[in-house]
Amino acid sequence: MHGLHLTADLHDCRCAARWLVDAQALGAACVDAAESAGLQVVGTLFHAFPATSQGPGGVTATVLLAESHLCVHTWPEQSGVTLDVYVCNFGGDHSSKARAVMDSLEALFMPRHAERHALQRGSIKAEAA
């Protein structure tokens, strides 16, 4: 359970519209961000939502990592994005890799404002004697 859980709520994103509505393009960017940071991708699921009367549908991009997960949800009608990266640090400290993924994706979306949170999760318990 020991790990780092990072979240960010991105507001007023100034990125190209495709990053908010194109599931395959966003998914590929997520995979690239994870792999570039040195994390191991073991599965993916990218889903585009249909348009509504409020505007184009958003995207959910989920990347399953050997170290845990990366999820991105977009709200194009609000120019908003939520990012979620959790890495398990049991076999090694992957915290800097998680931060690199968040930095890469935040740069992609170019928000005017971001709310960031970090949570240290769990602990490594000593083996019973």
Side-chain angles (χ1 to χ4, degrees), residues 29-53:
C30 290
V31 167
D32 183 57
E35 291 178 341
S36 293
L39 297 169
Q40 182 182 357
V41 174
V42 296
T44 61
L45 179 61
F46 314 133
H47 177 76
F49 292 92
T52 69
S53 60

Side-chain angles (χ1 to χ4, degrees), residues 6-10 71-72 81-85 102 105-106 109:
L6 301 174
T7 64
D9 299 333
L10 308 181
C71 285
V72 179
V81 175
T82 59
L83 304 176
D84 179 338
V85 178
M102 291 295 277
L105 291 174
E106 189 171 325
F109 291 112

